[in-house]
Amino acid sequence: MKRDPEIPEAELPEWVQKVERIPQVDPVAVLGVGPTAAYLLFDAVVGVRAAIAAAVVVGVVVYVVQRRLRPQIMVVRWLMVFSVCFNVGFGVWGLIEADGKVYWARDFVDNFVLGGVFLVSVLIGRPIVSAVIREVFPAIREQLPSDHRVWVRLTIVWGLYIALSGVLRWWVLDQVSAETYALIRLPLGWGLGAVLMIWTFSTVSRAMREFALERGRSESGDPGEVVADTEVSER
């Protein structure tokens, strides 16, 4: 929803102001469902080998399209490189074995690696959630610095979640057929993932409000109150 730039935000209805504060997801990111959709379609019509080949090809195409349409998204793109490599590697293995389960094993391996990357990024002082959220939701860039303390907590939580999701996917893939797993693999992570995303936005929104308050008081020349508020927020 776009508003008339001639109308000041303060004059808009309250519900419109609330809607505009919601971070807008980059629609290009939605293309990530392509490989799963291709697998399900070709598996039902042609067979498992064709399904694996289609998922691999679509995965590579999605990566190329996202890279061309959003060349400025660097961190997210490098994270996608992991997925593309696992997609191709396990795709070749799955084609050789003619086994969908072999192909979908890429999911939990991908989760273990990415979860480790998230946690390592905290150890080296570069929490990766900071870069990811600020790239996917550009409106946040101007409202919260990349080195704000909130990013460390978010990165740890997301790293653990991704790694534990890998354990869950490993177990589920062992219990059901490859076709069933392909059908439920996306909804499988949406439940807790959606809750975690809501918590993330709530945490980031609170941090943005606190940061705006601190910056406003700092610009007004009252450092004493800024220090006090910062100490209170940290407690």
Side-chain angles (χ1 to χ4, degrees), residues 56-77:
V56 171
V57 171
V58 171
V60 173
V61 170
V62 166
Y63 170 75
V64 172
V65 170
Q66 290 177 329
R67 178 172 178 172
R68 287 183 176 274
L69 294 180
R70 296 292 185 271
Q72 74 279 13
I73 299 182
M74 298 298 295
V75 176
V76 175
R77 190 172 74 196

Side-chain angles (χ1 to χ4, degrees), residues 202-217:
S202 175
T203 302
V204 171
S205 297
R206 184 169 59 252
M208 288 192 298
R209 290 194 299 270
E210 292 176 355
F211 178 72
L213 181 61
E214 293 172 2
R215 182 169 57 182
R217 289 178 173 172

Side-chain angles (χ1 to χ4, degrees), residues 220-232:
S220 67
D222 192 352
E225 287 192 15
V226 175
V227 172
D229 286 342
T230 303
E231 291 177 350
V232 170

Side-chain angles (χ1 to χ4, degrees), residues 7-223:
I7 303 177
E9 183 178 354
E11 296 181 8
L12 294 171
E14 184 178 354
W15 71 270
V16 175
Q17 296 182 37
K18 289 181 178 180
V19 169
E20 290 201 336
R21 294 192 191 105
I22 299 175
Q24 301 298 307
V25 178
D26 190 334
V28 176
V30 180
L31 294 174
V33 303
T36 302
Y39 181 94
L40 289 171
L41 176 62
F42 278 80
D43 184 58
V45 176
V46 185
V48 65
R49 276 201 167 100
I52 294 173
V56 171
V57 171
V58 171
V60 173
V61 170
V62 166
Y63 170 75
V64 172
V65 170
Q66 290 177 329
R67 178 172 178 172
R68 287 183 176 274
L69 294 180
R70 296 292 185 271
Q72 74 279 13
I73 299 182
M74 298 298 295
V75 176
V76 175
R77 190 172 74 196
W78 280 110
L79 289 178
M80 287 177 58
V81 168
F82 284 108
S83 295
V84 171
C85 291
F86 290 130
N87 184 40
V88 174
F90 280 88
V92 172
W93 189 8
L95 286 172
I96 294 173
E97 300 290 337
D99 189 343
K101 283 197 172 187
V102 171
Y103 172 67
W104 288 120
R106 50 159 280 202
D107 276 356
F108 59 79
V109 176
D110 193 358
N111 278 147
F112 293 155
V113 172
L114 288 182
V117 168
F118 274 56
L119 297 176
V120 169
S121 73
V122 173
L123 295 178
I124 64 177
R126 301 290 294 274
I128 202 168
V129 167
S130 171
V132 171
I133 290 184
R134 286 159 58 83
E135 285 188 346
V136 178
F137 305 101
I140 294 178
R141 295 175 187 170
E142 303 299 325
Q143 302 180 56
L144 200 61
S146 60
D147 59 351
H148 193 279
R149 59 186 177 276
V150 73
W151 301 123
V152 172
R153 180 168 26 131
L154 291 175
T155 302
I156 292 174
V157 172
W158 274 100
L160 292 174
Y161 163 72
I162 293 171
L164 291 176
S165 292
V167 176
L168 176 60
R169 288 182 169 184
W170 188 357
W171 180 80
V172 172
L173 183 60
D174 185 57
Q175 302 299 311
V176 301
S177 67
E179 296 76 16
T180 300
Y181 176 82
L183 189 63
I184 67 175
R185 68 179 291 265
L186 294 178
L188 188 65
W190 287 348
L192 181 57
V195 173
L196 195 53
M197 187 66 74
I198 293 173
W199 172 77
T200 298
F201 285 144
S202 175
T203 302
V204 171
S205 297
R206 184 169 59 252
M208 288 192 298
R209 290 194 299 270
E210 292 176 355
F211 178 72
L213 181 61
E214 293 172 2
R215 182 169 57 182
R217 289 178 173 172
S218 177
E219 292 175 352
S220 67
D222 192 352

